[in-house]
């Protein structure tokens, strides 16, 4: 018998010294929901389908790791996420910034010192620098 999966899930495990503070930040700041909690052991948060994180007891790293985890969002959510996160943890956000690959990215350093990037696609203007860059990289972008 072969196991078949209809969907594939990826999640990040984030150690935290304070589960309650972490759950509050991930839900009120980053827009996740508390999918389920085992008190004192873990909280499974989810933003959209297959955008999951496990918050587990552990030591907070002294510094922010170079590695980041990215989650997709829609463009209209980026500023709200930035404001909500900054209200909960002043100074935790960088951006939002436009990228050469036609997205807007907001970097958030969570209370656990995790580096989370919220990324949103922008409407593509065929005459923009980004469209020209994508064409130059081999993407089939319609001309104006």
């Amino acid at each position: 018998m072969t196991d078949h999966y209809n969907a594939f899930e990826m999640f990040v495990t984030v150690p935290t010294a304070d589960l309650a503070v972490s759950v509050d930040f991930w839900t009120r700041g980053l827009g996740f929901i508390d999918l389920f909690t085992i008190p004192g052991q873990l909280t499974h948060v989810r933003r959209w389908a297959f955008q999951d994180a496990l918050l587990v007891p552990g030591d907070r790293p002294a510094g922010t790791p170079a590695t980041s985890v990215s989650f997709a969002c829609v463009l209209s959510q980026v500023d709200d996420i930035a404001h909500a996160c900054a209200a909960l943890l002043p100074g935790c956000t960088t951006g939002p910034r436009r990228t050469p690959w036609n997205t807007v990215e907001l970097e958030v350093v969570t209370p656990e010192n995790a580096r989370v990037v919220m990324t949103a696609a922008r409407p593509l203007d065929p005459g923009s620098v980004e469209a020209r860059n994508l064409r130059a990289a081999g993407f089939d972008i319609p001309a104006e």
Side-chain angles (χ1 to χ4, degrees):
M1 180 173 174
T2 304
D3 290 329
H4 294 277
Y5 296 93
N6 291 327
F8 300 95
E9 182 171 333
M10 181 286 246
F11 63 89
V12 61
T13 300
V14 180
T16 175
D18 190 327
L19 273 170
V21 167
S22 295
V23 170
D24 185 56
F25 187 87
W26 283 73
T27 55
R28 291 194 312 137
L30 295 171
F32 284 71
I33 61 165
D34 180 342
L35 193 60
F36 71 87
T37 295
I38 300 173
Q41 295 182 38
L42 70 85
T43 296
H44 182 163
V45 293
R46 175 172 288 162
R47 191 158 191 292
W48 292 347
F50 316 118
Q51 291 188 344
D52 294 40
L54 293 181
L55 305 174
V56 299
D59 295 328
R60 181 181 191 264
T64 304
T67 304
S68 65
V69 60
S70 297
F71 294 100
C73 63
V74 294
L75 192 56
S76 64
Q77 295 175 320
V78 174
D79 287 337
D80 290 341
I81 293 169
H83 293 301
C85 289
L88 293 167
L89 187 62
C92 72
T93 63
T94 303
R97 68 177 183 86
R98 290 171 64 150
T99 68
W101 46 90
N102 207 48
T103 65
V104 170
E105 293 185 350
L106 171 70
E107 181 179 309
V108 180
V109 177
T110 70
E112 312 81 30
N113 253 350
R115 185 184 314 269
V116 174
V117 176
M118 303 303 294
T119 184
R122 292 189 353 236
L124 184 59
D125 173 2
S128 69
V129 170
E130 292 85 359
R132 286 191 298 277
N133 291 341
L134 290 169
R135 277 189 213 96
F139 290 90
D140 185 20
I141 306 296
E144 295 181 67

